Amino acid sequence: MINIKINKNLEMNEKSFLMIAGPCAVESKEQVMEVAKKLKEMGVNVLRGGAFKPRTCPDSFQGLGEEGLKLLVKAREETGMAIVTEVMDTENLSLVEEYSDIIQIGSRNCQNFSLLKEVGKYDKPVLLKRGFGNTISELIGSSKYISQSGNNRVILVERGIRTFETATRFTLDVSAVPLLHEKTEFPVIIDPSHPAGVSRYVEPLAMAGTAAGADGLIIEVHPNPKEALSDSSQQLTIPEYNHLYEKIKRIAPIIDKYVI
Ligand code: PEP
Ligand code: MN
């Protein structure tokens, strides 16, 4: 696995386990500050939060845009956390890049090759989410679009795929973890929030991903999930996340990462 430097204090490597947490979307100053401070107190070093949101329905909350990016920067200034946020198109790429420490490419853009090539020209780590209709080899192809454009700092994310099962929002493909470790040099993290779809399945999926040898977790946490403007039913409360975090802290250090 290649080492990925995120900022001067933070690096992903064979021994590290990266915890990324925060709301699905940045909604207000109060919301993002509250969650960031509590997460930092727990020991979480990377804050997630979408300012540009890919929504199935155009009537749904689309994110705060640049104002949301500015709120994330305020949270970084207050807490020292690194920030990761999604870019949806080449049009907003330089804007998102300017504010973030890690650029997120969402599931729906996993095969947006022009966006992948553009993001590959920047000197920032990229969190590349697997498309929910993409095979593992397609995800690897997408990662190469970024690395061959000059940016080798790619973090792969398994976030669930579409199967015939509808009882969960998506099906978490745990086998992606050892397979990707075998076939690529990039770290692999698990997003248990989006496949779960509801908060009570998030912890067991996080445990499964960790046991499979993931290099980290990205999890949605909201100070008041019931009021969330997106992905309300899958976001964890701060105490729920704390419970999960304590369990992960106990198991992550004893799991081999199955690097072949
Ligand atoms: C998200 O992280 O909030 C998100 C939209 O994820 P995905 O692209 O995996 O659906
Ligand atoms: Mn979400």
Side-chain angles (χ1 to χ4, degrees):
M1 183 183 123
I2 56 164
N3 294 355
I4 301 212
K5 202 170 164 50
I6 292 170
N7 61 27
K8 61 181 187 324
N9 307 313
L10 210 55
E11 183 186 83
M12 292 187 86
N13 56 47
E14 298 289 352
K15 294 206 170 72
S16 68
F17 191 87
L18 189 70
M19 292 297 273
I20 305 175
C24 177
V26 177
E27 298 169 359
S28 68
K29 185 173 175 198
E30 295 67 34
Q31 174 233 22
V32 75
M33 288 302 170
E34 180 179 352
V35 78
K37 281 183 194 153
K38 300 263 171 63
L39 290 170
K40 181 64 189 177
E41 276 168 29
M42 281 181 220
V44 178
N45 291 316
V46 186
L47 176 69
R48 62 147 291 148
F52 294 95
K53 295 302 302 175
R55 304 305 302 280
T56 303
C57 179
D59 302 326
S60 305
F61 175 61
Q62 302 286 308
L64 297 179
E66 188 169 6
E67 189 195 334
L69 297 174
K70 287 183 175 157
L71 293 176
L72 286 170
V73 168
K74 271 207 167 65
R76 175 173 60 201
E77 284 165 4
E78 286 265 324
T79 64
M81 295 172 92
I83 54 182
V84 54
T85 194
E86 178 167 353
V87 65
M88 281 172 51
D89 41 53
T90 49
E91 198 184 322
N92 286 310
L93 179 55
S94 65
L95 182 75
V96 171
E97 194 273 338
E98 201 184 304
Y99 289 96
S100 58
D101 299 295
I102 304 172
I103 304 168
Q104 176 174 330
I105 303 281
S107 189
R108 290 154 191 83
N109 270 319
C110 181
Q111 289 195 309
N112 182 339
F113 301 120
S114 46
L115 180 60
L116 299 176
K117 282 191 273 188
E118 282 305 307
V119 92
K121 294 179 186 163
Y122 287 88
D123 184 26
K124 279 267 162 83
V126 179
L127 198 86
L128 174 63
K129 295 189 113 185
R130 179 182 182 179
F132 50 73
N134 288 141
T135 62
I136 286 173
S137 85
E138 286 167 344
L139 173 62
I140 294 170
S142 295
S143 71
K144 288 181 183 163
Y145 271 94
I146 302 171
S147 57
Q148 289 181 14
S149 298
N151 185 349
N152 206 32
R153 285 192 285 168
V154 180
I155 303 162
L156 302 171
V157 186
E158 163 57 38
R159 48 76 74 210
I161 54 174
R162 277 258 156 87
T163 66
F164 55 79
E165 183 56 75
T166 54
T168 48
R169 190 175 179 198
F170 297 96
T171 299
L172 182 69
D173 180 11
V174 179
S175 24
V177 178
L179 267 153
L180 288 167
H181 276 158
E182 192 179 317
K183 292 177 189 300
T184 82
E185 291 292 314
F186 300 125
V188 183
I189 71 170
I190 288 281
D191 172 347
S193 302
H194 289 85
V198 288
S199 57
R200 67 185 178 281
Y201 303 139
V202 172
E203 186 177 291
L205 296 185
M207 295 290 277
T210 306
D215 301 294
L217 294 168
I218 177 166
I219 295 179
E220 290 188 342
V221 186
H222 192 287
N224 186 1
K226 285 197 186 81
E227 306 271 289
L229 300 177
S230 61
D231 287 351
S232 155
S233 38
Q234 73 196 29
Q235 301 206 55
L236 301 186
T237 62
I238 292 161
E240 282 167 349
Y241 181 76
N242 191 228
H243 182 268
L244 176 155
Y245 187 68
E246 289 303 316
K247 278 176 86 165
I248 297 294
K249 262 202 317 212
R250 287 202 300 274
I251 68 159
I254 60 164
I255 305 292
D256 289 333
K257 290 189 185 174
Y258 298 114
V259 182
I260 298 167

